[in-house]
Amino acid sequence: MLDEREVSSFVAGTTEYFAVAAGQPASVGSPYLVTEGVPDISEYTGVITVSGRRQGVVYFTAPRGMLVVMLMKMQESNVAHENLCDLVGEVANTIAGNVRRDFGREFGISPPSVVTDGKGVTLPGGHHPIVIPINWRSHTAKVVVCLK
């Protein structure tokens, strides 16, 4: 389970992404622990597998509408499915990369994979995920962290 300092690292990595890449800061809700079931995912989810000293997954999940607005804010007019997939993967990868600065080189991160079929993400057994709610403009997304 993550301690408060580690959760703060994910919060900071997320807010940094939105301030820099999306050109507008995001507000972060109170992180919470999911003790039963798995967190809901949105239409697009970028998944990073973590290896090394910590193992598990980190993912960013967002609705299509949010990703479309993000692309437009980044001066990208092509909002095709492929670009939305690229963006959600980039967000997950950048957040994990930002966190890696705090966790060190032993926090190995995979290239992002993208889930768009709504079937969910496989979480490591025996560990509860922490959800970090993200509010950006009028949209809501989540960063989900499940590490052992």
Side-chain angles (χ1 to χ4, degrees):
M1 175 116 113
L2 297 175
D3 63 30
E4 188 175 328
R5 180 187 59 80
E6 292 170 324
V7 172
S8 293
S9 183
F10 279 97
V11 169
T14 302
T15 56
E16 182 179 335
Y17 175 84
F18 279 89
V20 173
Q24 190 171 18
S27 64
V28 176
S30 296
Y32 60 92
L33 184 67
V34 175
T35 57
E36 297 205 12
V38 295
D40 291 334
I41 63 168
S42 295
E43 295 162 89
Y44 289 85
T45 303
V47 182
I48 302 294
T49 301
V50 176
S51 61
R53 193 167 44 101
R54 301 300 294 265
Q55 297 170 0
V57 296
V58 174
Y59 63 88
F60 173 76
T61 186
R64 181 184 190 285
M66 179 180 188
L67 298 172
V68 166
V69 173
M70 288 174 71
L71 283 174
M72 292 188 313
K73 190 88 169 131
M74 296 172 182
Q75 307 301 315
E76 176 56 64
S77 60
N78 181 351
V79 295
H81 174 75
E82 293 77 20
N83 277 0
L84 298 174
C85 289
D86 287 347
L87 177 59
V88 80
E90 173 193 320
V91 174
N93 191 53
T94 303
I95 290 169
N98 289 346
V99 169
R100 189 171 190 231
R101 289 185 308 219
D102 294 339
F103 281 52
R105 284 188 289 186
E106 293 178 4
F107 186 76
I109 58 174
S110 72
S113 61
V114 175
V115 175
T116 62
D117 58 13
K119 291 186 179 170
V121 178
T122 303
L123 300 175
H127 297 281
H128 300 294
I130 294 176
V131 175
I132 302 168
I134 310 298
N135 300 302
W136 183 75
R137 298 180 68 129
S138 62
H139 303 282
T140 302
K142 295 180 218 145
V143 173
V144 177
V145 183
C146 190
L147 300 175
K148 54 183 181 173

